[in-house]
């Protein structure tokens, strides 16, 4: 089986990268430079007309959407226990990943690029402020879910990787995590995992390559 992850630094493609690493999968990474708009290159658009990363190409099949990609990884490498084995708990894990990608990610994207959601002149600060408020509400929910736990379930699972990305991106946008000590503890715990260390080193090397090529 040939597994290729299309990835870009800083982005939510981090979640499947960590998940593939945790699975012990052998995979190739093709890195896109979003600053150079490579996600709009015609060859990439044939793979993903949504012009987004991540995508996973398995042999000749293309899968988009990080939550689906993480689910495929978990189901393909069951020995890694990347989803809970109990069916209801498994659905809760899918619910958490859907929440990360559709309930939290859009507010991060809004902060990153306010004009994509509002073209009213001088609206950027308001868009960012409102998105920050929504993030705070969501991180409070996550903080409650993580209280007294190391991970969302009784061991590391795919949603932990997805949430780690959400929190990392929010930190880059100066969301104040001081009130969210359980989220912070989860972030610190995740940061120490070998899979995350590997991702961070890989991201650094890709960013260096991009800056050399600039
Ligand atoms: N719902 C998608 C969101 C993917 C997404 O928005 N990716 C961003 C990076 S975090 C992207 O590729 N943006 C480039 C663009 O929109 O042109 C998922 O979870 O995979």
């Amino acid at each position: 089986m040939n597994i290729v992850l299309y990835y870009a630094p800083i982005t939510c493609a981090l979640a499947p990268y960590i998940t593939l690493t945790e699975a012990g999968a052998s995979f190739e990474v093709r890195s896109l430079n979003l600053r150079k708009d490579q996600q709009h290159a015609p060859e990439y658009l044939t793979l993903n007309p949504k012009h987004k990363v991540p995508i996973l190409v398995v042999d000749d099949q293309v899968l988009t959407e990080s939550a689906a990609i993480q689910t495929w990884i978990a189901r393909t490498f069951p020995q890694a226990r990347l989803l809970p084995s109990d069916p209801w708990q498994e659905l809760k894990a899918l619910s958490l990943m859907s929440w990360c990608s559709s309930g939290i990610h859009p507010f991060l994207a809004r902060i990153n690029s306010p004009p994509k959601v509002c073209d009213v002149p001088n609206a950027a600060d308001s868009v960012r402020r409102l998105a920050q408020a929504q993030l705070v509400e969501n991180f409070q929910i996550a903080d409650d879910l993580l209280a007294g736990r190391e991970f969302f379930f009784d061991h590391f699972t795919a949603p932990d990787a997805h949430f780690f990305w959400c929190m990392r991106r929010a930190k880059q946008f100066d969301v104040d995590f001081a009130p969210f000590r359980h989220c912070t503890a989860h972030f610190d715990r995740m940061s120490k995992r070998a899979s995350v260390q590997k991702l961070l080193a890989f991201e650094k090397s890709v960013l260096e390559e991009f800056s050399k090529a600039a």
Side-chain angles (χ1 to χ4, degrees), residues 6-211:
Y6 285 76
Y7 155 98
I10 316 294
T11 68
C12 61
L14 173 158
Y17 185 106
I18 294 172
T19 312
L20 281 164
T21 306
E22 293 275 352
S26 159
F27 63 103
E28 181 195 334
V29 183
R30 297 197 188 142
S31 298
L32 272 69
N33 189 340
L34 301 191
R35 287 180 187 269
K36 292 202 167 164
D37 216 22
Q38 289 175 343
Q39 75 276 28
H40 284 105
E43 321 78 78
Y44 191 70
L45 291 175
T46 60
L47 294 172
N48 187 5
K50 292 182 269 188
H51 56 84
K52 310 262 184 226
V53 287
I55 63 173
L56 196 72
V57 181
V58 182
D59 298 331
D60 56 354
Q61 304 248 62
V62 179
L63 188 61
T64 64
E65 300 298 326
S66 38
I69 292 170
Q70 287 188 282
T71 303
W72 179 86
I73 299 165
R75 289 184 180 168
T76 306
F77 299 94
Q79 74 290 348
R81 298 170 68 228
L82 295 168
L83 285 173
S85 53
D86 172 77
W88 186 256
Q89 295 301 313
E90 183 191 54
L91 289 170
K92 290 190 95 166
L94 299 184
S95 164
L96 280 169
M97 290 191 287
S98 306
W99 176 45
C100 288
S101 63
S102 66
I104 300 179
H105 189 160
F107 296 115
L108 297 164
R110 228 166 266 193
I111 292 179
N112 192 40
S113 187
K116 280 196 182 159
V117 292
C118 181
D119 62 1
V120 174
N122 306 317
D125 286 349
S126 290
V127 170
R128 287 202 173 96
R129 183 175 44 77
L130 292 169
Q132 287 252 0
Q134 293 291 328
L135 286 173
V136 164
E137 190 178 309
N138 279 289
F139 284 119
Q140 181 60 62
I141 294 167
D143 206 60
D144 293 341
L145 289 172
L146 287 167
R149 326 183 53 90
E150 290 196 9
F151 299 108
F152 283 105
F153 296 92
D154 62 4
H155 63 279
F156 170 89
T157 56
D160 292 299
H162 210 135
F163 182 72
F164 173 75
W165 175 75
C166 292
M167 189 159 161
R168 181 173 193 240
R169 200 71 185 112
K171 278 161 126 5
Q172 289 163 343
F173 294 136
D174 293 329
V175 170
D176 177 16
F177 278 94
F180 307 130
R181 63 192 174 91
H182 306 300
C183 289
T184 301
H186 181 267
F187 186 83
D188 293 345
R189 203 170 290 122
M190 284 294 299
S191 300
K192 291 190 189 113
R193 287 184 81 79
S195 58
V196 174
Q197 292 290 321
K198 183 175 172 225
L199 171 275
L200 296 176
F202 177 73
E203 180 181 75
K204 189 164 174 272
S205 71
V206 173
L207 287 170
E208 280 165 6
E209 265 173 45
F210 284 174
S211 68

